Amino acid sequence: MDRDHLHVVMLPWSAFGHLIPFFQLSIALARSGIHVSFVSTPRNIQRLPKVPPSLATFIKFVEFPLPTLDNNDILPEGAEASVDVPADKVEYLKLAYDRLQYPINQFVAEQLPDWIIADFSAHWAVEIAQNYNVGFIYFVVFSAATVVFFGKPPNYFFVGDQKQAWPSPESLTSPPEWLSFPSSVAFRGYEAVWAHAGAYTEDASGISDAARFTKLSVHVKHWLFVVAGSLKPLNARLLVDKGVAVEVERGEDGSFSRDGIAKAVKLAMVLEEGVKLRTRAREAAAIFGDEYLHQVNYIGHFVEYLKHGGSNKI
């Protein structure tokens, strides 16, 4: 490993809630002198923010056309990200995405990078890294609270012989028993239905999201977490628990009213009862906006880990 010329390959899932965190991490690594190959499809790359000119020599966008499916009518023309397709067609986007493993395998074979940093969707990237003795990191674009809720990897979705760790939607509606502190982080009933189905349903790609997570987590020693917009219900409960947000009141079916929104905004922005909330929100904003803390401390330590190999082989 050449510590002065580290090369990292980024493999984000084709959704902008994933592409943007991967892009931001790429920028942070480039600022530390690490060379990054950001792999995605042409249209996704075109829609990303511009790289600062000073970092242009450190970030290379690697474009692979999204493979076509047997029935070209399944995905809308030009669709390359989840934002481009209706919800019931995302499974076909995953099927097409999985076919990118073949050109990506060839790319890794030719480039032999030091590390691959992959999203949950690229479960097949583990085998690619093993085949070419490349370090592998699983970049989880969910909050740490979400991961804690589902439990310690690798058995947070399946136990034993692929038995579901969460047997029903109802099992997702209470904080898990392994928490040693009070928490309201859990799904509401209406949220749990789609969350459970979304995790365990085997879709057109032939694999469920839960199985994708599990295939990665069973083999990967190195995890990297970031707070993103995914699994918003759990993030919302966490922010309420921490006293930095107020949640809009909803009905049993998830419905809400303009009066409920007005009540929440008034509490957060105007009422005296919201003073403590506003104070804590300002304190949290200062931490999230602390460039030195993130780039020098967090990213700096991570870069040192990459440079020293971090016992990097999976």
Side-chain angles (χ1 to χ4, degrees):
M1 179 181 293
D2 183 351
R3 296 178 183 177
D4 296 324
H5 194 88
L6 281 183
H7 180 199
V8 172
V9 172
M10 308 291 276
L11 301 179
W13 161 234
S14 293
F16 279 89
H18 294 243
L19 287 158
I20 295 300
F22 269 78
F23 176 80
Q24 292 170 335
L25 178 59
S26 298
I27 293 292
L29 293 178
R31 285 175 178 160
S32 297
I34 291 180
H35 294 261
V36 177
S37 291
F38 189 102
V39 180
S40 191
T41 59
R43 189 159 181 253
N44 286 344
I45 288 174
Q46 291 168 9
R47 291 181 285 182
L48 289 172
K50 299 298 182 184
V51 173
S54 61
L55 301 179
T57 57
F58 289 95
I59 298 180
K60 176 184 178 182
F61 290 111
V62 181
E63 300 181 2
F64 291 120
L66 187 69
T68 57
L69 302 179
D70 296 334
N71 184 346
N72 291 333
D73 297 330
I74 291 177
L75 292 175
E77 184 177 355
E80 295 183 9
S82 60
V83 70
D84 303 322
V85 301
D88 62 344
K89 301 292 185 183
V90 172
E91 60 181 308
Y92 299 104
L93 183 64
K94 291 176 182 174
L95 174 60
Y97 179 89
D98 282 344
R99 296 182 181 181
L100 285 172
Q101 65 183 284
Y102 305 108
I104 289 172
N105 179 81
Q106 184 62 32
F107 177 76
V108 171
E110 294 172 353
Q111 297 292 320
L112 293 178
D114 299 294
W115 294 90
I116 293 173
I117 300 180
D119 212 333
F120 84 100
S121 51
H123 62 92
W124 33 262
V126 173
E127 184 176 351
I128 293 175
Q130 289 173 330
N131 288 343
Y132 300 106
N133 198 31
V134 173
F136 189 93
I137 289 176
Y138 178 15
F139 184 14
V140 187
V141 294
F142 307 121
S143 67
T146 299
V147 178
V148 170
F149 176 85
F150 282 107
K152 183 179 179 180
N155 297 321
Y156 60 172
F157 279 115
F158 294 103
V159 293
D161 296 327
Q162 293 296 290
K163 178 182 178 182
Q164 294 180 2
W166 301 89
S168 66
E170 290 73 25
S171 64
L172 295 170
T173 59
S174 300
E177 60 185 15
W178 51 79
L179 292 186
S180 60
F181 51 87
S183 175
S184 64
V185 176
F187 289 95
R188 305 283 191 255
Y190 62 89
E191 299 162 345
V193 172
W194 62 256
H196 191 271
Y200 287 112
T201 300
E202 185 176 298
D203 57 32
S205 67
I207 185 173
S208 67
D209 283 353
R212 288 178 186 269
F213 282 110
T214 302
K215 279 179 174 287
L216 281 169
S217 60
V218 164
H219 298 287
V220 176
K221 297 178 183 177
H222 311 287
W223 292 64
L224 178 62
F225 297 94
V226 65
V227 177
S230 304
L231 294 180
K232 292 179 182 178
L234 299 185
N235 291 343
R237 310 287 122 73
L238 173 66
L239 293 176
V240 172
D241 272 4
K242 294 296 184 182
V244 297
V246 57
E247 193 169 0
V248 175
E249 295 177 356
R250 290 175 178 262
E252 290 296 321
D253 60 351
S255 61
F256 57 90
S257 67
R258 61 183 181 182
D259 290 338
I261 295 174
K263 180 181 177 181
V265 171
K266 191 174 182 180
L267 173 60
M269 303 296 292
V270 179
L271 296 180
E272 186 175 348
E273 301 95 287
V275 170
K276 185 178 292 187
L277 183 151
R278 292 191 288 274
T279 299
R280 290 183 176 178
R282 284 193 292 269
E283 293 171 350
I287 294 173
F288 280 102
D290 190 331
E291 188 70 20
Y292 182 88
L293 177 66
H294 292 284
Q295 184 65 36
V296 177
N297 284 6
Y298 299 153
I299 295 297
H301 290 156
F302 180 54
V303 167
E304 286 303 307
Y305 177 86
L306 295 180
K307 286 182 176 179
H308 290 88
S311 184
N312 62 324
K313 301 303 181 283
I314 57 175

PDB file of all heavy atoms in Angstrom, residues 90-114:
ATOM      1  N   VAL A  90     -38.736   0.202  -8.347  1.00  0.00           N
ATOM      2  CA  VAL A  90     -37.384   0.284  -7.798  1.00  0.00           C
ATOM      3  C   VAL A  90     -36.717  -1.086  -7.782  1.00  0.00           C
ATOM      4  O   VAL A  90     -35.494  -1.205  -7.954  1.00  0.00           O
ATOM      5  CB  VAL A  90     -37.412   0.897  -6.380  1.00  0.00           C
ATOM      6  CG1 VAL A  90     -36.045   0.801  -5.720  1.00  0.00           C
ATOM      7  CG2 VAL A  90     -37.848   2.355  -6.448  1.00  0.00           C
ATOM      8  N   GLU A  91     -37.503  -2.141  -7.612  1.00  0.00           N
ATOM      9  CA  GLU A  91     -36.923  -3.480  -7.601  1.00  0.00           C
ATOM     10  C   GLU A  91     -36.222  -3.799  -8.923  1.00  0.00           C
ATOM     11  O   GLU A  91     -35.212  -4.505  -8.952  1.00  0.00           O
ATOM     12  CB  GLU A  91     -37.980  -4.531  -7.297  1.00  0.00           C
ATOM     13  CG  GLU A  91     -39.125  -4.583  -8.291  1.00  0.00           C
ATOM     14  CD  GLU A  91     -40.163  -5.640  -7.912  1.00  0.00           C
ATOM     15  OE1 GLU A  91     -39.765  -6.799  -7.685  1.00  0.00           O
ATOM     16  OE2 GLU A  91     -41.372  -5.309  -7.856  1.00  0.00           O
ATOM     17  N   TYR A  92     -36.740  -3.255 -10.032  1.00  0.00           N
ATOM     18  CA  TYR A  92     -36.104  -3.484 -11.329  1.00  0.00           C
ATOM     19  C   TYR A  92     -34.838  -2.640 -11.476  1.00  0.00           C
ATOM     20  O   TYR A  92     -33.891  -3.043 -12.164  1.00  0.00           O
ATOM     21  CB  TYR A  92     -37.094  -3.184 -12.458  1.00  0.00           C
ATOM     22  CG  TYR A  92     -38.305  -4.082 -12.398  1.00  0.00           C
ATOM     23  CD1 TYR A  92     -39.526  -3.606 -11.934  1.00  0.00           C
ATOM     24  CD2 TYR A  92     -38.204  -5.423 -12.765  1.00  0.00           C
ATOM     25  CE1 TYR A  92     -40.629  -4.438 -11.848  1.00  0.00           C
ATOM     26  CE2 TYR A  92     -39.312  -6.273 -12.688  1.00  0.00           C
ATOM     27  CZ  TYR A  92     -40.513  -5.776 -12.223  1.00  0.00           C
ATOM     28  OH  TYR A  92     -41.608  -6.612 -12.131  1.00  0.00           O
ATOM     29  N   LEU A  93     -34.823  -1.474 -10.813  1.00  0.00           N
ATOM     30  CA  LEU A  93     -33.597  -0.678 -10.788  1.00  0.00           C
ATOM     31  C   LEU A  93     -32.503  -1.444 -10.051  1.00  0.00           C
ATOM     32  O   LEU A  93     -31.343  -1.431 -10.457  1.00  0.00           O
ATOM     33  CB  LEU A  93     -33.872   0.661 -10.107  1.00  0.00           C
ATOM     34  CG  LEU A  93     -32.704   1.657 -10.070  1.00  0.00           C
ATOM     35  CD1 LEU A  93     -32.311   2.096 -11.473  1.00  0.00           C
ATOM     36  CD2 LEU A  93     -33.072   2.876  -9.217  1.00  0.00           C
ATOM     37  N   LYS A  94     -32.876  -2.137  -8.976  1.00  0.00           N
ATOM     38  CA  LYS A  94     -31.900  -2.952  -8.236  1.00  0.00           C
ATOM     39  C   LYS A  94     -31.399  -4.101  -9.099  1.00  0.00           C
ATOM     40  O   LYS A  94     -30.209  -4.449  -9.057  1.00  0.00           O
ATOM     41  CB  LYS A  94     -32.535  -3.488  -6.954  1.00  0.00           C
ATOM     42  CG  LYS A  94     -32.810  -2.425  -5.914  1.00  0.00           C
ATOM     43  CD  LYS A  94     -33.531  -3.000  -4.708  1.00  0.00           C
ATOM     44  CE  LYS A  94     -33.849  -1.902  -3.703  1.00  0.00           C
ATOM     45  NZ  LYS A  94     -34.686  -2.395  -2.586  1.00  0.00           N
ATOM     46  N   LEU A  95     -32.285  -4.686  -9.883  1.00  0.00           N
ATOM     47  CA  LEU A  95     -31.882  -5.773 -10.780  1.00  0.00           C
ATOM     48  C   LEU A  95     -30.855  -5.264 -11.789  1.00  0.00           C
ATOM     49  O   LEU A  95     -29.821  -5.910 -12.035  1.00  0.00           O
ATOM     50  CB  LEU A  95     -33.108  -6.339 -11.493  1.00  0.00           C
ATOM     51  CG  LEU A  95     -32.859  -7.390 -12.572  1.00  0.00           C
ATOM     52  CD1 LEU A  95     -32.148  -8.612 -11.995  1.00  0.00           C
ATOM     53  CD2 LEU A  95     -34.191  -7.805 -13.232  1.00  0.00           C
ATOM     54  N   ALA A  96     -31.128  -4.100 -12.379  1.00  0.00           N
ATOM     55  CA  ALA A  96     -30.186  -3.522 -13.346  1.00  0.00           C
ATOM     56  C   ALA A  96     -28.878  -3.137 -12.658  1.00  0.00           C
ATOM     57  O   ALA A  96     -27.785  -3.358 -13.196  1.00  0.00           O
ATOM     58  CB  ALA A  96     -30.815  -2.303 -14.015  1.00  0.00           C
ATOM     59  N   TYR A  97     -28.980  -2.578 -11.461  1.00  0.00           N
ATOM     60  CA  TYR A  97     -27.784  -2.176 -10.718  1.00  0.00           C
ATOM     61  C   TYR A  97     -26.888  -3.377 -10.438  1.00  0.00           C
ATOM     62  O   TYR A  97     -25.662  -3.285 -10.552  1.00  0.00           O
ATOM     63  CB  TYR A  97     -28.192  -1.496  -9.406  1.00  0.00           C
ATOM     64  CG  TYR A  97     -27.020  -1.056  -8.561  1.00  0.00           C
ATOM     65  CD1 TYR A  97     -26.450   0.200  -8.731  1.00  0.00           C
ATOM     66  CD2 TYR A  97     -26.478  -1.900  -7.582  1.00  0.00           C
ATOM     67  CE1 TYR A  97     -25.361   0.607  -7.965  1.00  0.00           C
ATOM     68  CE2 TYR A  97     -25.397  -1.501  -6.819  1.00  0.00           C
ATOM     69  CZ  TYR A  97     -24.840  -0.258  -7.009  1.00  0.00           C
ATOM     70  OH  TYR A  97     -23.757   0.132  -6.252  1.00  0.00           O
ATOM     71  N   ASP A  98     -27.492  -4.517 -10.083  1.00  0.00           N
ATOM     72  CA  ASP A  98     -26.691  -5.708  -9.772  1.00  0.00           C
ATOM     73  C   ASP A  98     -25.867  -6.159 -10.972  1.00  0.00           C
ATOM     74  O   ASP A  98     -24.794  -6.764 -10.811  1.00  0.00           O
ATOM     75  CB  ASP A  98     -27.601  -6.851  -9.319  1.00  0.00           C
ATOM     76  CG  ASP A  98     -28.060  -6.667  -7.874  1.00  0.00           C
ATOM     77  OD1 ASP A  98     -27.459  -5.866  -7.151  1.00  0.00           O
ATOM     78  OD2 ASP A  98     -29.034  -7.340  -7.472  1.00  0.00           O
ATOM     79  N   ARG A  99     -26.329  -5.861 -12.163  1.00  0.00           N
ATOM     80  CA  ARG A  99     -25.582  -6.250 -13.360  1.00  0.00           C
ATOM     81  C   ARG A  99     -24.356  -5.381 -13.600  1.00  0.00           C
ATOM     82  O   ARG A  99     -23.518  -5.699 -14.452  1.00  0.00           O
ATOM     83  CB  ARG A  99     -26.515  -6.233 -14.574  1.00  0.00           C
ATOM     84  CG  ARG A  99     -27.633  -7.268 -14.469  1.00  0.00           C
ATOM     85  CD  ARG A  99     -28.533  -7.295 -15.696  1.00  0.00           C
ATOM     86  NE  ARG A  99     -29.589  -8.299 -15.524  1.00  0.00           N
ATOM     87  CZ  ARG A  99     -30.523  -8.584 -16.430  1.00  0.00           C
ATOM     88  NH1 ARG A  99     -30.530  -7.937 -17.585  1.00  0.00           N
ATOM     89  NH2 ARG A  99     -31.444  -9.486 -16.190  1.00  0.00           N
ATOM     90  N   LEU A 100     -24.248  -4.292 -12.833  1.00  0.00           N
ATOM     91  CA  LEU A 100     -23.032  -3.481 -12.914  1.00  0.00           C
ATOM     92  C   LEU A 100     -21.827  -4.181 -12.294  1.00  0.00           C
ATOM     93  O   LEU A 100     -20.692  -3.752 -12.469  1.00  0.00           O
ATOM     94  CB  LEU A 100     -23.243  -2.141 -12.185  1.00  0.00           C
ATOM     95  CG  LEU A 100     -24.108  -1.097 -12.883  1.00  0.00           C
ATOM     96  CD1 LEU A 100     -24.358   0.072 -11.948  1.00  0.00           C
ATOM     97  CD2 LEU A 100     -23.444  -0.608 -14.172  1.00  0.00           C
ATOM     98  N   GLN A 101     -22.080  -5.264 -11.553  1.00  0.00           N
ATOM     99  CA  GLN A 101     -20.967  -5.967 -10.914  1.00  0.00           C
ATOM    100  C   GLN A 101     -19.941  -6.480 -11.921  1.00  0.00           C
ATOM    101  O   GLN A 101     -18.750  -6.596 -11.584  1.00  0.00           O
ATOM    102  CB  GLN A 101     -21.482  -7.139 -10.079  1.00  0.00           C
ATOM    103  CG  GLN A 101     -22.147  -8.242 -10.857  1.00  0.00           C
ATOM    104  CD  GLN A 101     -22.697  -9.329  -9.951  1.00  0.00           C
ATOM    105  OE1 GLN A 101     -21.953 -10.150  -9.422  1.00  0.00           O
ATOM    106  NE2 GLN A 101     -23.998  -9.325  -9.755  1.00  0.00           N
ATOM    107  N   TYR A 102     -20.352  -6.736 -13.145  1.00  0.00           N
ATOM    108  CA  TYR A 102     -19.420  -7.288 -14.136  1.00  0.00           C
ATOM    109  C   TYR A 102     -18.426  -6.238 -14.632  1.00  0.00           C
ATOM    110  O   TYR A 102     -17.211  -6.487 -14.609  1.00  0.00           O
ATOM    111  CB  TYR A 102     -20.211  -7.939 -15.280  1.00  0.00           C
ATOM    112  CG  TYR A 102     -21.179  -8.976 -14.749  1.00  0.00           C
ATOM    113  CD1 TYR A 102     -22.554  -8.750 -14.739  1.00  0.00           C
ATOM    114  CD2 TYR A 102     -20.702 -10.166 -14.199  1.00  0.00           C
ATOM    115  CE1 TYR A 102     -23.439  -9.692 -14.213  1.00  0.00           C
ATOM    116  CE2 TYR A 102     -21.579 -11.114 -13.667  1.00  0.00           C
ATOM    117  CZ  TYR A 102     -22.946 -10.862 -13.676  1.00  0.00           C
ATOM    118  OH  TYR A 102     -23.805 -11.789 -13.135  1.00  0.00           O
ATOM    119  N   PRO A 103     -18.879  -5.045 -15.076  1.00  0.00           N
ATOM    120  CA  PRO A 103     -17.867  -4.037 -15.435  1.00  0.00           C
ATOM    121  C   PRO A 103     -17.085  -3.530 -14.228  1.00  0.00           C
ATOM    122  O   PRO A 103     -15.907  -3.174 -14.357  1.00  0.00           O
ATOM    123  CB  PRO A 103     -18.692  -2.913 -16.079  1.00  0.00           C
ATOM    124  CG  PRO A 103     -20.095  -3.122 -15.592  1.00  0.00           C
ATOM    125  CD  PRO A 103     -20.243  -4.597 -15.433  1.00  0.00           C
ATOM    126  N   ILE A 104     -17.719  -3.503 -13.053  1.00  0.00           N
ATOM    127  CA  ILE A 104     -17.004  -3.059 -11.856  1.00  0.00           C
ATOM    128  C   ILE A 104     -15.924  -4.067 -11.479  1.00  0.00           C
ATOM    129  O   ILE A 104     -14.814  -3.687 -11.074  1.00  0.00           O
ATOM    130  CB  ILE A 104     -17.998  -2.838 -10.695  1.00  0.00           C
ATOM    131  CG1 ILE A 104     -18.845  -1.592 -10.979  1.00  0.00           C
ATOM    132  CG2 ILE A 104     -17.259  -2.690  -9.372  1.00  0.00           C
ATOM    133  CD1 ILE A 104     -19.979  -1.366 -10.012  1.00  0.00           C
ATOM    134  N   ASN A 105     -16.213  -5.334 -11.621  1.00  0.00           N
ATOM    135  CA  ASN A 105     -15.210  -6.369 -11.376  1.00  0.00           C
ATOM    136  C   ASN A 105     -14.004  -6.165 -12.278  1.00  0.00           C
ATOM    137  O   ASN A 105     -12.842  -6.242 -11.825  1.00  0.00           O
ATOM    138  CB  ASN A 105     -15.818  -7.751 -11.604  1.00  0.00           C
ATOM    139  CG  ASN A 105     -14.810  -8.865 -11.385  1.00  0.00           C
ATOM    140  OD1 ASN A 105     -14.539  -9.275 -10.262  1.00  0.00           O
ATOM    141  ND2 ASN A 105     -14.238  -9.359 -12.485  1.00  0.00           N
ATOM    142  N   GLN A 106     -14.251  -5.879 -13.545  1.00  0.00           N
ATOM    143  CA  GLN A 106     -13.162  -5.662 -14.492  1.00  0.00           C
ATOM    144  C   GLN A 106     -12.362  -4.412 -14.131  1.00  0.00           C
ATOM    145  O   GLN A 106     -11.123  -4.402 -14.197  1.00  0.00           O
ATOM    146  CB  GLN A 106     -13.717  -5.525 -15.911  1.00  0.00           C
ATOM    147  CG  GLN A 106     -12.654  -5.393 -16.997  1.00  0.00           C
ATOM    148  CD  GLN A 106     -11.754  -6.612 -17.088  1.00  0.00           C
ATOM    149  OE1 GLN A 106     -12.195  -7.734 -16.825  1.00  0.00           O
ATOM    150  NE2 GLN A 106     -10.497  -6.401 -17.452  1.00  0.00           N
ATOM    151  N   PHE A 107     -13.068  -3.375 -13.702  1.00  0.00           N
ATOM    152  CA  PHE A 107     -12.409  -2.123 -13.312  1.00  0.00           C
ATOM    153  C   PHE A 107     -11.491  -2.345 -12.116  1.00  0.00           C
ATOM    154  O   PHE A 107     -10.337  -1.883 -12.098  1.00  0.00           O
ATOM    155  CB  PHE A 107     -13.472  -1.065 -12.991  1.00  0.00           C
ATOM    156  CG  PHE A 107     -12.899   0.239 -12.509  1.00  0.00           C
ATOM    157  CD1 PHE A 107     -12.318   1.137 -13.393  1.00  0.00           C
ATOM    158  CD2 PHE A 107     -12.944   0.574 -11.158  1.00  0.00           C
ATOM    159  CE1 PHE A 107     -11.782   2.341 -12.949  1.00  0.00           C
ATOM    160  CE2 PHE A 107     -12.418   1.771 -10.707  1.00  0.00           C
ATOM    161  CZ  PHE A 107     -11.842   2.656 -11.602  1.00  0.00           C
ATOM    162  N   VAL A 108     -11.978  -3.062 -11.102  1.00  0.00           N
ATOM    163  CA  VAL A 108     -11.168  -3.332  -9.918  1.00  0.00           C
ATOM    164  C   VAL A 108      -9.964  -4.200 -10.274  1.00  0.00           C
ATOM    165  O   VAL A 108      -8.852  -3.982  -9.787  1.00  0.00           O
ATOM    166  CB  VAL A 108     -12.018  -4.005  -8.819  1.00  0.00           C
ATOM    167  CG1 VAL A 108     -11.146  -4.483  -7.662  1.00  0.00           C
ATOM    168  CG2 VAL A 108     -13.083  -3.035  -8.306  1.00  0.00           C
ATOM    169  N   ALA A 109     -10.178  -5.175 -11.160  1.00  0.00           N
ATOM    170  CA  ALA A 109      -9.079  -6.046 -11.587  1.00  0.00           C
ATOM    171  C   ALA A 109      -7.972  -5.243 -12.263  1.00  0.00           C
ATOM    172  O   ALA A 109      -6.781  -5.530 -12.089  1.00  0.00           O
ATOM    173  CB  ALA A 109      -9.608  -7.123 -12.530  1.00  0.00           C
ATOM    174  N   GLU A 110      -8.346  -4.231 -13.023  1.00  0.00           N
ATOM    175  CA  GLU A 110      -7.366  -3.417 -13.735  1.00  0.00           C
ATOM    176  C   GLU A 110      -6.694  -2.382 -12.826  1.00  0.00           C
ATOM    177  O   GLU A 110      -5.496  -2.125 -12.937  1.00  0.00           O
ATOM    178  CB  GLU A 110      -8.049  -2.692 -14.904  1.00  0.00           C
ATOM    179  CG  GLU A 110      -8.560  -3.642 -15.987  1.00  0.00           C
ATOM    180  CD  GLU A 110      -9.405  -2.929 -17.022  1.00  0.00           C
ATOM    181  OE1 GLU A 110      -9.699  -1.714 -16.826  1.00  0.00           O
ATOM    182  OE2 GLU A 110      -9.786  -3.570 -18.023  1.00  0.00           O
ATOM    183  N   GLN A 111      -7.472  -1.792 -11.935  1.00  0.00           N
ATOM    184  CA  GLN A 111      -6.962  -0.688 -11.117  1.00  0.00           C
ATOM    185  C   GLN A 111      -6.313  -1.151  -9.815  1.00  0.00           C
ATOM    186  O   GLN A 111      -5.417  -0.486  -9.297  1.00  0.00           O
ATOM    187  CB  GLN A 111      -8.109   0.289 -10.790  1.00  0.00           C
ATOM    188  CG  GLN A 111      -8.712   0.950 -12.006  1.00  0.00           C
ATOM    189  CD  GLN A 111      -7.742   1.902 -12.675  1.00  0.00           C
ATOM    190  OE1 GLN A 111      -7.014   2.635 -12.011  1.00  0.00           O
ATOM    191  NE2 GLN A 111      -7.713   1.891 -13.998  1.00  0.00           N
ATOM    192  N   LEU A 112      -6.786  -2.261  -9.264  1.00  0.00           N
ATOM    193  CA  LEU A 112      -6.313  -2.771  -7.970  1.00  0.00           C
ATOM    194  C   LEU A 112      -6.213  -1.644  -6.937  1.00  0.00           C
ATOM    195  O   LEU A 112      -5.122  -1.302  -6.448  1.00  0.00           O
ATOM    196  CB  LEU A 112      -4.958  -3.470  -8.124  1.00  0.00           C
ATOM    197  CG  LEU A 112      -4.978  -4.769  -8.939  1.00  0.00           C
ATOM    198  CD1 LEU A 112      -3.582  -5.336  -9.063  1.00  0.00           C
ATOM    199  CD2 LEU A 112      -5.918  -5.792  -8.301  1.00  0.00           C
ATOM    200  N   PRO A 113      -7.341  -1.066  -6.583  1.00  0.00           N
ATOM    201  CA  PRO A 113      -7.338   0.020  -5.597  1.00  0.00           C
ATOM    202  C   PRO A 113      -6.948  -0.497  -4.218  1.00  0.00           C
ATOM    203  O   PRO A 113      -6.883  -1.713  -3.982  1.00  0.00           O
ATOM    204  CB  PRO A 113      -8.797   0.491  -5.609  1.00  0.00           C
ATOM    205  CG  PRO A 113      -9.570  -0.747  -5.974  1.00  0.00           C
ATOM    206  CD  PRO A 113      -8.707  -1.455  -6.993  1.00  0.00           C
ATOM    207  N   ASP A 114      -6.709   0.425  -3.300  1.00  0.00           N
ATOM    208  CA  ASP A 114      -6.386   0.031  -1.930  1.00  0.00           C
ATOM    209  C   ASP A 114      -7.636  -0.345  -1.150  1.00  0.00           C
ATOM    210  O   ASP A 114      -7.603  -1.227  -0.296  1.00  0.00           O
ATOM    211  CB  ASP A 114      -5.658   1.188  -1.225  1.00  0.00           C
ATOM    212  CG  ASP A 114      -4.354   1.544  -1.912  1.00  0.00           C
ATOM    213  OD1 ASP A 114      -3.451   0.691  -1.898  1.00  0.00           O
ATOM    214  OD2 ASP A 114      -4.257   2.647  -2.467  1.00  0.00           O
TER     215      ASP A 114
END
